[in-house]
Amino acid sequence: MAVSISVVVLLLIMAVVFLRNGGLKVSHALVCGLLGFFLASTSLAPTIYNGVSATADVVSNFKP
């Protein structure tokens, strides 16, 4: 659960930065948000969640 909240916060920060720099228009942000909303209700959602979770586990195990 903490990983998904962290990813959401990171994506939100990136979206705000892109919006402020003009690299992302509001209409594009809306389309991306709707895509994520509808993608979450498909059968692909558990696969995406497991992929993100596995990637987070791999990254957290790296020692600098």
Side-chain angles (χ1 to χ4, degrees), residues 17-57:
V17 168
F18 287 147
L19 278 170
R20 293 189 64 133
N21 290 338
L24 180 69
K25 294 186 174 28
V26 175
S27 60
H28 298 145
L30 265 171
V31 169
C32 291
L34 287 173
L35 174 65
F37 178 77
F38 286 116
L39 189 61
S41 64
T42 65
S43 61
L44 220 64
T47 305
I48 294 170
Y49 178 79
N50 290 336
V52 170
S53 181
T55 303
D57 287 340

Side-chain angles (χ1 to χ4, degrees), residues 4-27:
S4 63
I5 292 172
S6 298
V7 170
V8 169
V9 170
L10 175 66
L11 291 174
L12 179 64
I13 290 170
M14 288 174 58
V16 168
V17 168
F18 287 147
L19 278 170
R20 293 189 64 133
N21 290 338
L24 180 69
K25 294 186 174 28
V26 175
S27 60

